[in-house]
Structure formats: structure tokens, C-alpha cells
Amino acid sequence: DAGVIQSPRHEVTEMGQEVTLRCKLISGHNSLFWYRQTMMRGLELLIYFNNNVPIDDSGMPEDRFSAKMPNASFSTLKIQPSEPRDSAVYFCASSLGPGPRDSPLHFGNGTRLTVT
Amino acid sequence: ILNVEQSPQSLHVQEGDSTNFTCSFPSSNFYALHWYRWETAKSPEALFVMTLNGDEKKKGRISATLNTKEGYSYLYIKGSQPEDSATYLCAPSDLSNQGGKLIFGQGTELSVKP
């Protein structure tokens, strides 16, 4: 299994531009999590899905952020417009089963976003 | 929102030393607790998923215990090796939102000197 695949690995963009981060889940996994890593806050949960349905998006910073699962194996995290304070490493993780009692998270390699 | 505390923040030990770290979390509405190992320039990798009070799990030289009534978990490493150097994260969840909201602590950074 290729594991969770994130793209791009690095993204450098200018303030105000739209940024789209992509994630491919491990085949058969049905829960999907987006985390953001910063020095100040560590690993911060943005949103998670179960069976393509968003369960909790209370961690999404503001309306500039949106996440979708157009199908069971793929997700996008979009930032529009981007701001310098959005600079961080964004991780996607998937798991098998409906909740964290069932299986651990499998993380992708992350996307390092730099907004200038 | 879960308040997760890990201690110590960092730890420097010699090869062969045994060590342990603590993860503290609210004991009410406990659902599950995960431990992850995060090496520099890599992604977090799962060590343990723990759900029951009194759980003990072991993987090689690493083991963990769970006390859900008092809200803490210990991670032990026996005979530390340089390759154990990493940040160790715990992530509890509670019963809200189907229990899926894993909140990560800030981690304990372990450095093992040869």
C-alpha cells in the first residue's frame, strides 16, 4: 500500500492567492483528518470526515478555509485568499473504522505551505 | 476542548538509560488515547491505541499504560537507543463528535546520546 499521499510537498505562494492541498486516503480507510503544524500550536486538528461526511470542522480557522471529500478516497483543503499567517505544514491522515477506538491515524508526508 | 499536557517537554538521556513520559488529559467522557512517534523530517507514526482503564500495551522496548479514572498515560522506553530519538505525542479523544476528535499534546522530545 502506498500510504496516504499528499500533494504538493511544498507550496510557495503570494498573499491573496488561492491554495489547494490534496490528499489521497489509504484504500479502504473511511475517516479523514486534516491537521496543521505550527511552532506555536503544535499539531492542530482542522477538520475530520467520516464516510465522506464532515463531522467536526470547529478547528477550521475562518471562512477562508474549506475542505471537501468529493469521493471516498480523495480530499482537498482550500485556502482562499491565503495569508502569511497560514504558513505551516499541513498533514492529512486517514484511519480505518469510524473512530479512534478502532485504528490509529496514518499520516501523509505533509505539505509545507509558505505564503509571502 | 480537551486540555492535553505532556511532560517533560524534552529529555536528554544516555544510550541504555530507561525513561518515561507522562500524558495528562481530562478524565471525564474519555473515549480513546493514541501514542505516536515523530522523527524529524518524517510524519507521525502510531505506537499504540488505548481504550480501557488499566490497559498496558507493548511494542519491543516501548510500553504504555493508561489510567482513565485519573486522566493520565505513561510511555516507557527500556534501554534507550539513539534511534529512539524522536518526539513522542499523545492524543486523547472524548465522547463528543463520535469520539473522533483526537487532540495532540505538544509532545516530549527525546534525545538519546550514544
Side-chain angles (χ1 to χ4, degrees), chain A residues 33 35 37 40 42 45 48 55-56 58 91 100-101 103-105 107-109, chain B residues 31-32 34 36 38 43-44 46 49 51 89 93 97-102 104 106:
Chain A
F33 303 77
Y35 283 89
Q37 182 208 3
M40 291 292 293
L45 178 65
Y48 77 94
I55 304 300
D56 190 320
S58 58
F91 285 98
R101 278 182 165 246
S103 72
L105 301 185
F107 282 82
N109 286 326
Chain B
Y31 191 67
H34 292 204
Y36 290 82
W38 195 357
S43 306
V49 175
T51 56
L89 299 167
S93 71
N97 294 313
Q98 303 176 20
K101 193 167 184 173
L102 282 167
F104 281 84
Q106 293 283 4

PDB file of all heavy atoms in Angstrom, chain A residues 33 35 37 40 42 45 48 55-56 58 91 100-101 103-105 107-109, chain B residues 31-32 34 36 38 43-44 46 49 51 89 93 97-102 104 106:
ATOM      1  N   PHE A  33      -8.616  13.076   8.250  1.00  0.00           N
ATOM      2  CA  PHE A  33      -8.326  14.178   9.169  1.00  0.00           C
ATOM      3  C   PHE A  33      -7.358  15.146   8.491  1.00  0.00           C
ATOM      4  O   PHE A  33      -6.395  14.721   7.851  1.00  0.00           O
ATOM      5  CB  PHE A  33      -7.651  13.644  10.446  1.00  0.00           C
ATOM      6  CG  PHE A  33      -8.449  12.604  11.185  1.00  0.00           C
ATOM      7  CD1 PHE A  33      -8.504  11.290  10.731  1.00  0.00           C
ATOM      8  CD2 PHE A  33      -9.136  12.931  12.347  1.00  0.00           C
ATOM      9  CE1 PHE A  33      -9.241  10.322  11.425  1.00  0.00           C
ATOM     10  CE2 PHE A  33      -9.862  11.970  13.041  1.00  0.00           C
ATOM     11  CZ  PHE A  33      -9.912  10.676  12.577  1.00  0.00           C
ATOM     12  N   TYR A  35      -4.751  18.115   9.651  1.00  0.00           N
ATOM     13  CA  TYR A  35      -4.075  18.769  10.764  1.00  0.00           C
ATOM     14  C   TYR A  35      -3.138  19.835  10.205  1.00  0.00           C
ATOM     15  O   TYR A  35      -2.640  19.734   9.087  1.00  0.00           O
ATOM     16  CB  TYR A  35      -3.238  17.767  11.575  1.00  0.00           C
ATOM     17  CG  TYR A  35      -4.027  16.882  12.517  1.00  0.00           C
ATOM     18  CD1 TYR A  35      -4.536  15.665  12.087  1.00  0.00           C
ATOM     19  CD2 TYR A  35      -4.253  17.259  13.840  1.00  0.00           C
ATOM     20  CE1 TYR A  35      -5.248  14.846  12.959  1.00  0.00           C
ATOM     21  CE2 TYR A  35      -4.960  16.439  14.715  1.00  0.00           C
ATOM     22  CZ  TYR A  35      -5.450  15.238  14.259  1.00  0.00           C
ATOM     23  OH  TYR A  35      -6.152  14.433  15.116  1.00  0.00           O
ATOM     24  N   GLN A  37       0.433  21.951  11.420  1.00  0.00           N
ATOM     25  CA  GLN A  37       1.507  22.004  12.412  1.00  0.00           C
ATOM     26  C   GLN A  37       2.167  23.363  12.390  1.00  0.00           C
ATOM     27  O   GLN A  37       2.657  23.809  11.345  1.00  0.00           O
ATOM     28  CB  GLN A  37       2.568  20.937  12.120  1.00  0.00           C
ATOM     29  CG  GLN A  37       3.681  20.915  13.145  1.00  0.00           C
ATOM     30  CD  GLN A  37       5.005  20.422  12.573  1.00  0.00           C
ATOM     31  OE1 GLN A  37       5.124  20.140  11.392  1.00  0.00           O
ATOM     32  NE2 GLN A  37       6.004  20.317  13.425  1.00  0.00           N
ATOM     33  N   MET A  40       3.919  27.342  17.283  1.00  0.00           N
ATOM     34  CA  MET A  40       3.183  27.833  18.440  1.00  0.00           C
ATOM     35  C   MET A  40       2.149  26.844  18.966  1.00  0.00           C
ATOM     36  O   MET A  40       1.984  26.691  20.177  1.00  0.00           O
ATOM     37  CB  MET A  40       2.460  29.149  18.074  1.00  0.00           C
ATOM     38  CG  MET A  40       3.394  30.308  17.841  1.00  0.00           C
ATOM     39  SD  MET A  40       4.198  30.801  19.376  1.00  0.00           S
ATOM     40  CE  MET A  40       2.818  31.434  20.311  1.00  0.00           C
ATOM     41  N   GLY A  42       1.622  23.469  17.755  1.00  0.00           N
ATOM     42  CA  GLY A  42       1.825  22.045  17.535  1.00  0.00           C
ATOM     43  C   GLY A  42       0.910  21.512  16.448  1.00  0.00           C
ATOM     44  O   GLY A  42       0.599  22.209  15.489  1.00  0.00           O
ATOM     45  N   LEU A  45      -5.941  20.078  14.981  1.00  0.00           N
ATOM     46  CA  LEU A  45      -6.955  19.471  14.126  1.00  0.00           C
ATOM     47  C   LEU A  45      -7.800  20.557  13.473  1.00  0.00           C
ATOM     48  O   LEU A  45      -8.358  21.410  14.157  1.00  0.00           O
ATOM     49  CB  LEU A  45      -7.852  18.539  14.943  1.00  0.00           C
ATOM     50  CG  LEU A  45      -8.991  17.861  14.181  1.00  0.00           C
ATOM     51  CD1 LEU A  45      -8.445  16.902  13.126  1.00  0.00           C
ATOM     52  CD2 LEU A  45      -9.905  17.116  15.138  1.00  0.00           C
ATOM     53  N   TYR A  48     -12.381  16.861  10.460  1.00  0.00           N
ATOM     54  CA  TYR A  48     -12.303  15.459  10.117  1.00  0.00           C
ATOM     55  C   TYR A  48     -13.622  14.973   9.537  1.00  0.00           C
ATOM     56  O   TYR A  48     -14.700  15.508   9.838  1.00  0.00           O
ATOM     57  CB  TYR A  48     -11.814  14.584  11.273  1.00  0.00           C
ATOM     58  CG  TYR A  48     -12.803  14.276  12.366  1.00  0.00           C
ATOM     59  CD1 TYR A  48     -13.564  13.095  12.333  1.00  0.00           C
ATOM     60  CD2 TYR A  48     -12.939  15.112  13.458  1.00  0.00           C
ATOM     61  CE1 TYR A  48     -14.437  12.793  13.355  1.00  0.00           C
ATOM     62  CE2 TYR A  48     -13.814  14.808  14.480  1.00  0.00           C
ATOM     63  CZ  TYR A  48     -14.558  13.651  14.433  1.00  0.00           C
ATOM     64  OH  TYR A  48     -15.430  13.342  15.446  1.00  0.00           O
ATOM     65  N   ILE A  55     -17.545  15.741  10.159  1.00  0.00           N
ATOM     66  CA  ILE A  55     -18.089  15.514  11.495  1.00  0.00           C
ATOM     67  C   ILE A  55     -17.813  16.710  12.401  1.00  0.00           C
ATOM     68  O   ILE A  55     -18.650  17.108  13.189  1.00  0.00           O
ATOM     69  CB  ILE A  55     -17.493  14.234  12.133  1.00  0.00           C
ATOM     70  CG1 ILE A  55     -17.738  13.021  11.233  1.00  0.00           C
ATOM     71  CG2 ILE A  55     -18.052  14.011  13.531  1.00  0.00           C
ATOM     72  CD1 ILE A  55     -19.195  12.716  10.976  1.00  0.00           C
ATOM     73  N   ASP A  56     -16.633  17.256  12.300  1.00  0.00           N
ATOM     74  CA  ASP A  56     -16.258  18.382  13.154  1.00  0.00           C
ATOM     75  C   ASP A  56     -15.327  19.296  12.372  1.00  0.00           C
ATOM     76  O   ASP A  56     -14.254  18.873  11.978  1.00  0.00           O
ATOM     77  CB  ASP A  56     -15.571  17.881  14.426  1.00  0.00           C
ATOM     78  CG  ASP A  56     -15.363  18.985  15.462  1.00  0.00           C
ATOM     79  OD1 ASP A  56     -15.021  20.122  15.086  1.00  0.00           O
ATOM     80  OD2 ASP A  56     -15.532  18.700  16.667  1.00  0.00           O
ATOM     81  N   SER A  58     -14.757  22.496  13.641  1.00  0.00           N
ATOM     82  CA  SER A  58     -14.588  23.626  14.553  1.00  0.00           C
ATOM     83  C   SER A  58     -13.157  24.142  14.589  1.00  0.00           C
ATOM     84  O   SER A  58     -12.906  25.249  15.046  1.00  0.00           O
ATOM     85  CB  SER A  58     -15.033  23.242  15.972  1.00  0.00           C
ATOM     86  OG  SER A  58     -14.287  22.135  16.436  1.00  0.00           O
ATOM     87  N   PHE A  91      -0.929  18.449   7.386  1.00  0.00           N
ATOM     88  CA  PHE A  91      -0.928  16.990   7.304  1.00  0.00           C
ATOM     89  C   PHE A  91      -2.340  16.476   7.088  1.00  0.00           C
ATOM     90  O   PHE A  91      -3.301  16.960   7.682  1.00  0.00           O
ATOM     91  CB  PHE A  91      -0.386  16.368   8.604  1.00  0.00           C
ATOM     92  CG  PHE A  91       1.089  16.469   8.780  1.00  0.00           C
ATOM     93  CD1 PHE A  91       1.643  17.468   9.566  1.00  0.00           C
ATOM     94  CD2 PHE A  91       1.939  15.555   8.175  1.00  0.00           C
ATOM     95  CE1 PHE A  91       3.014  17.568   9.738  1.00  0.00           C
ATOM     96  CE2 PHE A  91       3.306  15.640   8.344  1.00  0.00           C
ATOM     97  CZ  PHE A  91       3.845  16.650   9.124  1.00  0.00           C
ATOM     98  N   PRO A 100     -11.545   6.653  16.752  1.00  0.00           N
ATOM     99  CA  PRO A 100     -10.178   6.379  17.196  1.00  0.00           C
ATOM    100  C   PRO A 100     -10.050   5.186  18.116  1.00  0.00           C
ATOM    101  O   PRO A 100      -8.948   4.839  18.522  1.00  0.00           O
ATOM    102  CB  PRO A 100      -9.791   7.670  17.924  1.00  0.00           C
ATOM    103  CG  PRO A 100     -11.070   8.257  18.368  1.00  0.00           C
ATOM    104  CD  PRO A 100     -12.056   7.912  17.315  1.00  0.00           C
ATOM    105  N   ARG A 101     -11.176   4.537  18.477  1.00  0.00           N
ATOM    106  CA  ARG A 101     -11.060   3.288  19.223  1.00  0.00           C
ATOM    107  C   ARG A 101     -10.683   2.145  18.307  1.00  0.00           C
ATOM    108  O   ARG A 101     -10.296   1.068  18.761  1.00  0.00           O
ATOM    109  CB  ARG A 101     -12.406   2.952  19.888  1.00  0.00           C
ATOM    110  CG  ARG A 101     -12.615   3.687  21.181  1.00  0.00           C
ATOM    111  CD  ARG A 101     -13.904   3.309  21.849  1.00  0.00           C
ATOM    112  NE  ARG A 101     -13.861   3.770  23.223  1.00  0.00           N
ATOM    113  CZ  ARG A 101     -13.852   2.976  24.283  1.00  0.00           C
ATOM    114  NH1 ARG A 101     -13.891   1.676  24.118  1.00  0.00           N
ATOM    115  NH2 ARG A 101     -13.794   3.474  25.493  1.00  0.00           N
ATOM    116  N   SER A 103      -8.759   2.226  15.147  1.00  0.00           N
ATOM    117  CA  SER A 103      -7.462   2.109  14.490  1.00  0.00           C
ATOM    118  C   SER A 103      -6.710   3.427  14.593  1.00  0.00           C
ATOM    119  O   SER A 103      -7.317   4.480  14.814  1.00  0.00           O
ATOM    120  CB  SER A 103      -7.641   1.715  13.033  1.00  0.00           C
ATOM    121  OG  SER A 103      -8.148   2.787  12.296  1.00  0.00           O
ATOM    122  N   PRO A 104      -5.383   3.374  14.441  1.00  0.00           N
ATOM    123  CA  PRO A 104      -4.592   4.602  14.534  1.00  0.00           C
ATOM    124  C   PRO A 104      -4.704   5.431  13.259  1.00  0.00           C
ATOM    125  O   PRO A 104      -5.237   4.979  12.244  1.00  0.00           O
ATOM    126  CB  PRO A 104      -3.165   4.063  14.686  1.00  0.00           C
ATOM    127  CG  PRO A 104      -3.179   2.753  13.976  1.00  0.00           C
ATOM    128  CD  PRO A 104      -4.552   2.184  14.200  1.00  0.00           C
ATOM    129  N   LEU A 105      -4.183   6.646  13.337  1.00  0.00           N
ATOM    130  CA  LEU A 105      -4.095   7.504  12.169  1.00  0.00           C
ATOM    131  C   LEU A 105      -2.844   7.150  11.369  1.00  0.00           C
ATOM    132  O   LEU A 105      -1.788   6.885  11.930  1.00  0.00           O
ATOM    133  CB  LEU A 105      -4.020   8.972  12.583  1.00  0.00           C
ATOM    134  CG  LEU A 105      -5.165   9.532  13.414  1.00  0.00           C
ATOM    135  CD1 LEU A 105      -4.982  11.025  13.621  1.00  0.00           C
ATOM    136  CD2 LEU A 105      -6.504   9.237  12.777  1.00  0.00           C
ATOM    137  N   PHE A 107      -0.509   8.981   8.688  1.00  0.00           N
ATOM    138  CA  PHE A 107      -0.264  10.333   8.201  1.00  0.00           C
ATOM    139  C   PHE A 107       0.416  10.322   6.837  1.00  0.00           C
ATOM    140  O   PHE A 107       1.251   9.457   6.545  1.00  0.00           O
ATOM    141  CB  PHE A 107       0.647  11.091   9.179  1.00  0.00           C
ATOM    142  CG  PHE A 107      -0.056  11.592  10.405  1.00  0.00           C
ATOM    143  CD1 PHE A 107      -0.279  10.755  11.486  1.00  0.00           C
ATOM    144  CD2 PHE A 107      -0.504  12.910  10.485  1.00  0.00           C
ATOM    145  CE1 PHE A 107      -0.928  11.218  12.624  1.00  0.00           C
ATOM    146  CE2 PHE A 107      -1.148  13.375  11.621  1.00  0.00           C
ATOM    147  CZ  PHE A 107      -1.364  12.534  12.686  1.00  0.00           C
ATOM    148  N   GLY A 108       0.072  11.334   6.030  1.00  0.00           N
ATOM    149  CA  GLY A 108       0.825  11.608   4.828  1.00  0.00           C
ATOM    150  C   GLY A 108       2.115  12.344   5.181  1.00  0.00           C
ATOM    151  O   GLY A 108       2.386  12.631   6.357  1.00  0.00           O
ATOM    152  N   ASN A 109       2.894  12.672   4.158  1.00  0.00           N
ATOM    153  CA  ASN A 109       4.183  13.335   4.392  1.00  0.00           C
ATOM    154  C   ASN A 109       4.055  14.837   4.615  1.00  0.00           C
ATOM    155  O   ASN A 109       5.037  15.497   4.912  1.00  0.00           O
ATOM    156  CB  ASN A 109       5.115  13.084   3.218  1.00  0.00           C
ATOM    157  CG  ASN A 109       5.640  11.663   3.213  1.00  0.00           C
ATOM    158  OD1 ASN A 109       5.866  11.082   4.265  1.00  0.00           O
ATOM    159  ND2 ASN A 109       5.814  11.091   2.040  1.00  0.00           N
TER     160      ASN A 109
ATOM    161  N   TYR B  31     -12.615   8.601  25.735  1.00  0.00           N
ATOM    162  CA  TYR B  31     -13.002   7.688  24.671  1.00  0.00           C
ATOM    163  C   TYR B  31     -11.832   6.820  24.236  1.00  0.00           C
ATOM    164  O   TYR B  31     -11.926   5.610  24.176  1.00  0.00           O
ATOM    165  CB  TYR B  31     -13.562   8.480  23.488  1.00  0.00           C
ATOM    166  CG  TYR B  31     -14.239   7.650  22.438  1.00  0.00           C
ATOM    167  CD1 TYR B  31     -15.425   6.972  22.709  1.00  0.00           C
ATOM    168  CD2 TYR B  31     -13.697   7.529  21.162  1.00  0.00           C
ATOM    169  CE1 TYR B  31     -16.046   6.202  21.743  1.00  0.00           C
ATOM    170  CE2 TYR B  31     -14.312   6.764  20.192  1.00  0.00           C
ATOM    171  CZ  TYR B  31     -15.485   6.110  20.477  1.00  0.00           C
ATOM    172  OH  TYR B  31     -16.103   5.354  19.527  1.00  0.00           O
ATOM    173  N   ALA B  32     -10.710   7.446  23.906  1.00  0.00           N
ATOM    174  CA  ALA B  32      -9.532   6.696  23.453  1.00  0.00           C
ATOM    175  C   ALA B  32      -8.294   7.556  23.609  1.00  0.00           C
ATOM    176  O   ALA B  32      -8.383   8.784  23.735  1.00  0.00           O
ATOM    177  CB  ALA B  32      -9.686   6.271  21.986  1.00  0.00           C
ATOM    178  N   HIS B  34      -4.225   7.785  21.898  1.00  0.00           N
ATOM    179  CA  HIS B  34      -3.215   7.308  20.961  1.00  0.00           C
ATOM    180  C   HIS B  34      -1.845   7.825  21.366  1.00  0.00           C
ATOM    181  O   HIS B  34      -1.725   8.945  21.878  1.00  0.00           O
ATOM    182  CB  HIS B  34      -3.490   7.821  19.540  1.00  0.00           C
ATOM    183  CG  HIS B  34      -4.715   7.268  18.893  1.00  0.00           C
ATOM    184  ND1 HIS B  34      -4.860   7.217  17.525  1.00  0.00           N
ATOM    185  CD2 HIS B  34      -5.854   6.737  19.410  1.00  0.00           C
ATOM    186  CE1 HIS B  34      -6.028   6.686  17.226  1.00  0.00           C
ATOM    187  NE2 HIS B  34      -6.662   6.403  18.348  1.00  0.00           N
ATOM    188  N   TYR B  36       1.989   8.440  19.489  1.00  0.00           N
ATOM    189  CA  TYR B  36       2.681   8.497  18.207  1.00  0.00           C
ATOM    190  C   TYR B  36       4.142   8.844  18.422  1.00  0.00           C
ATOM    191  O   TYR B  36       4.499   9.566  19.360  1.00  0.00           O
ATOM    192  CB  TYR B  36       2.049   9.553  17.282  1.00  0.00           C
ATOM    193  CG  TYR B  36       0.676   9.163  16.791  1.00  0.00           C
ATOM    194  CD1 TYR B  36      -0.437   9.384  17.592  1.00  0.00           C
ATOM    195  CD2 TYR B  36       0.494   8.552  15.558  1.00  0.00           C
ATOM    196  CE1 TYR B  36      -1.696   8.996  17.175  1.00  0.00           C
ATOM    197  CE2 TYR B  36      -0.767   8.174  15.128  1.00  0.00           C
ATOM    198  CZ  TYR B  36      -1.853   8.395  15.944  1.00  0.00           C
ATOM    199  OH  TYR B  36      -3.107   8.010  15.518  1.00  0.00           O
ATOM    200  N   TRP B  38       7.340  10.663  16.395  1.00  0.00           N
ATOM    201  CA  TRP B  38       7.530  11.581  15.277  1.00  0.00           C
ATOM    202  C   TRP B  38       8.992  11.914  15.153  1.00  0.00           C
ATOM    203  O   TRP B  38       9.533  12.692  15.942  1.00  0.00           O
ATOM    204  CB  TRP B  38       6.711  12.843  15.513  1.00  0.00           C
ATOM    205  CG  TRP B  38       6.526  13.697  14.304  1.00  0.00           C
ATOM    206  CD1 TRP B  38       7.057  13.504  13.055  1.00  0.00           C
ATOM    207  CD2 TRP B  38       5.745  14.878  14.228  1.00  0.00           C
ATOM    208  NE1 TRP B  38       6.651  14.482  12.215  1.00  0.00           N
ATOM    209  CE2 TRP B  38       5.829  15.354  12.900  1.00  0.00           C
ATOM    210  CE3 TRP B  38       4.979  15.588  15.140  1.00  0.00           C
ATOM    211  CZ2 TRP B  38       5.171  16.499  12.469  1.00  0.00           C
ATOM    212  CZ3 TRP B  38       4.318  16.731  14.712  1.00  0.00           C
ATOM    213  CH2 TRP B  38       4.424  17.178  13.392  1.00  0.00           C
ATOM    214  N   SER B  43       6.782  11.835   9.163  1.00  0.00           N
ATOM    215  CA  SER B  43       5.411  12.007   9.645  1.00  0.00           C
ATOM    216  C   SER B  43       5.228  11.220  10.940  1.00  0.00           C
ATOM    217  O   SER B  43       5.942  10.251  11.178  1.00  0.00           O
ATOM    218  CB  SER B  43       4.417  11.493   8.610  1.00  0.00           C
ATOM    219  OG  SER B  43       4.624  12.081   7.371  1.00  0.00           O
ATOM    220  N   PRO B  44       4.249  11.613  11.740  1.00  0.00           N
ATOM    221  CA  PRO B  44       3.988  10.833  12.964  1.00  0.00           C
ATOM    222  C   PRO B  44       3.609   9.390  12.624  1.00  0.00           C
ATOM    223  O   PRO B  44       2.872   9.146  11.662  1.00  0.00           O
ATOM    224  CB  PRO B  44       2.797  11.568  13.598  1.00  0.00           C
ATOM    225  CG  PRO B  44       2.847  12.949  13.035  1.00  0.00           C
ATOM    226  CD  PRO B  44       3.390  12.799  11.645  1.00  0.00           C
ATOM    227  N   ALA B  46       2.097   5.759  14.349  1.00  0.00           N
ATOM    228  CA  ALA B  46       1.353   5.278  15.508  1.00  0.00           C
ATOM    229  C   ALA B  46       2.150   4.243  16.293  1.00  0.00           C
ATOM    230  O   ALA B  46       2.804   3.366  15.714  1.00  0.00           O
ATOM    231  CB  ALA B  46       0.029   4.674  15.054  1.00  0.00           C
ATOM    232  N   VAL B  49      -2.848   2.358  20.382  1.00  0.00           N
ATOM    233  CA  VAL B  49      -4.212   2.841  20.564  1.00  0.00           C
ATOM    234  C   VAL B  49      -4.725   2.203  21.842  1.00  0.00           C
ATOM    235  O   VAL B  49      -4.718   0.976  21.965  1.00  0.00           O
ATOM    236  CB  VAL B  49      -5.124   2.462  19.388  1.00  0.00           C
ATOM    237  CG1 VAL B  49      -6.572   2.879  19.667  1.00  0.00           C
ATOM    238  CG2 VAL B  49      -4.628   3.101  18.097  1.00  0.00           C
ATOM    239  N   THR B  51      -7.748   2.093  24.987  1.00  0.00           N
ATOM    240  CA  THR B  51      -9.145   2.453  25.209  1.00  0.00           C
ATOM    241  C   THR B  51      -9.648   2.131  26.615  1.00  0.00           C
ATOM    242  O   THR B  51     -10.566   2.794  27.098  1.00  0.00           O
ATOM    243  CB  THR B  51     -10.051   1.727  24.205  1.00  0.00           C
ATOM    244  OG1 THR B  51      -9.832   0.314  24.318  1.00  0.00           O
ATOM    245  CG2 THR B  51      -9.755   2.166  22.785  1.00  0.00           C
ATOM    246  N   LEU B  89       4.245  11.882  20.942  1.00  0.00           N
ATOM    247  CA  LEU B  89       2.993  12.624  21.079  1.00  0.00           C
ATOM    248  C   LEU B  89       1.898  11.714  21.613  1.00  0.00           C
ATOM    249  O   LEU B  89       1.786  10.563  21.193  1.00  0.00           O
ATOM    250  CB  LEU B  89       2.534  13.138  19.712  1.00  0.00           C
ATOM    251  CG  LEU B  89       3.440  14.087  18.950  1.00  0.00           C
ATOM    252  CD1 LEU B  89       2.965  14.208  17.516  1.00  0.00           C
ATOM    253  CD2 LEU B  89       3.448  15.446  19.613  1.00  0.00           C
ATOM    254  N   SER B  93      -9.039  11.424  22.959  1.00  0.00           N
ATOM    255  CA  SER B  93     -10.299  11.954  22.438  1.00  0.00           C
ATOM    256  C   SER B  93     -11.375  11.708  23.486  1.00  0.00           C
ATOM    257  O   SER B  93     -11.242  10.818  24.329  1.00  0.00           O
ATOM    258  CB  SER B  93     -10.678  11.299  21.115  1.00  0.00           C
ATOM    259  OG  SER B  93     -11.076   9.968  21.298  1.00  0.00           O
ATOM    260  N   ASN B  97     -18.602  14.440  19.383  1.00  0.00           N
ATOM    261  CA  ASN B  97     -18.367  14.278  17.939  1.00  0.00           C
ATOM    262  C   ASN B  97     -17.938  12.859  17.579  1.00  0.00           C
ATOM    263  O   ASN B  97     -16.946  12.645  16.884  1.00  0.00           O
ATOM    264  CB  ASN B  97     -17.321  15.276  17.441  1.00  0.00           C
ATOM    265  CG  ASN B  97     -17.819  16.694  17.545  1.00  0.00           C
ATOM    266  OD1 ASN B  97     -18.944  16.985  17.150  1.00  0.00           O
ATOM    267  ND2 ASN B  97     -17.020  17.548  18.109  1.00  0.00           N
ATOM    268  N   GLN B  98     -18.674  11.891  18.095  1.00  0.00           N
ATOM    269  CA  GLN B  98     -18.419  10.480  17.808  1.00  0.00           C
ATOM    270  C   GLN B  98     -17.040  10.033  18.273  1.00  0.00           C
ATOM    271  O   GLN B  98     -16.529   9.008  17.831  1.00  0.00           O
ATOM    272  CB  GLN B  98     -18.572  10.190  16.305  1.00  0.00           C
ATOM    273  CG  GLN B  98     -19.927  10.574  15.759  1.00  0.00           C
ATOM    274  CD  GLN B  98     -20.040  10.367  14.264  1.00  0.00           C
ATOM    275  OE1 GLN B  98     -19.272   9.615  13.666  1.00  0.00           O
ATOM    276  NE2 GLN B  98     -21.004  11.018  13.641  1.00  0.00           N
ATOM    277  N   GLY B  99     -16.427  10.817  19.150  1.00  0.00           N
ATOM    278  CA  GLY B  99     -15.138  10.413  19.697  1.00  0.00           C
ATOM    279  C   GLY B  99     -13.988  10.550  18.741  1.00  0.00           C
ATOM    280  O   GLY B  99     -12.870  10.142  19.034  1.00  0.00           O
ATOM    281  N   GLY B 100     -14.215  11.163  17.588  1.00  0.00           N
ATOM    282  CA  GLY B 100     -13.171  11.179  16.576  1.00  0.00           C
ATOM    283  C   GLY B 100     -12.174  12.309  16.688  1.00  0.00           C
ATOM    284  O   GLY B 100     -11.197  12.344  15.967  1.00  0.00           O
ATOM    285  N   LYS B 101     -12.447  13.235  17.606  1.00  0.00           N
ATOM    286  CA  LYS B 101     -11.604  14.421  17.660  1.00  0.00           C
ATOM    287  C   LYS B 101     -10.368  14.143  18.506  1.00  0.00           C
ATOM    288  O   LYS B 101     -10.374  14.333  19.715  1.00  0.00           O
ATOM    289  CB  LYS B 101     -12.405  15.577  18.237  1.00  0.00           C
ATOM    290  CG  LYS B 101     -11.761  16.917  18.056  1.00  0.00           C
ATOM    291  CD  LYS B 101     -12.763  18.013  18.358  1.00  0.00           C
ATOM    292  CE  LYS B 101     -12.171  19.382  18.083  1.00  0.00           C
ATOM    293  NZ  LYS B 101     -13.180  20.442  18.200  1.00  0.00           N
ATOM    294  N   LEU B 102      -9.310  13.683  17.872  1.00  0.00           N
ATOM    295  CA  LEU B 102      -8.047  13.431  18.560  1.00  0.00           C
ATOM    296  C   LEU B 102      -7.299  14.744  18.704  1.00  0.00           C
ATOM    297  O   LEU B 102      -6.994  15.396  17.713  1.00  0.00           O
ATOM    298  CB  LEU B 102      -7.193  12.448  17.769  1.00  0.00           C
ATOM    299  CG  LEU B 102      -7.553  10.974  17.863  1.00  0.00           C
ATOM    300  CD1 LEU B 102      -6.836  10.184  16.785  1.00  0.00           C
ATOM    301  CD2 LEU B 102      -7.211  10.415  19.232  1.00  0.00           C
ATOM    302  N   PHE B 104      -3.890  16.479  19.917  1.00  0.00           N
ATOM    303  CA  PHE B 104      -2.499  16.142  20.207  1.00  0.00           C
ATOM    304  C   PHE B 104      -1.907  17.053  21.269  1.00  0.00           C
ATOM    305  O   PHE B 104      -2.143  18.268  21.278  1.00  0.00           O
ATOM    306  CB  PHE B 104      -1.656  16.247  18.928  1.00  0.00           C
ATOM    307  CG  PHE B 104      -1.792  15.053  18.025  1.00  0.00           C
ATOM    308  CD1 PHE B 104      -2.842  14.976  17.137  1.00  0.00           C
ATOM    309  CD2 PHE B 104      -0.884  14.011  18.088  1.00  0.00           C
ATOM    310  CE1 PHE B 104      -2.992  13.863  16.311  1.00  0.00           C
ATOM    311  CE2 PHE B 104      -1.022  12.899  17.275  1.00  0.00           C
ATOM    312  CZ  PHE B 104      -2.077  12.822  16.381  1.00  0.00           C
ATOM    313  N   GLN B 106       1.656  18.647  23.055  1.00  0.00           N
ATOM    314  CA  GLN B 106       2.818  19.302  22.430  1.00  0.00           C
ATOM    315  C   GLN B 106       3.991  18.347  22.272  1.00  0.00           C
ATOM    316  O   GLN B 106       4.948  18.642  21.568  1.00  0.00           O
ATOM    317  CB  GLN B 106       3.249  20.523  23.249  1.00  0.00           C
ATOM    318  CG  GLN B 106       2.237  21.640  23.248  1.00  0.00           C
ATOM    319  CD  GLN B 106       2.246  22.444  21.947  1.00  0.00           C
ATOM    320  OE1 GLN B 106       2.960  22.134  21.011  1.00  0.00           O
ATOM    321  NE2 GLN B 106       1.423  23.475  21.888  1.00  0.00           N
TER     322      GLN B 106
END
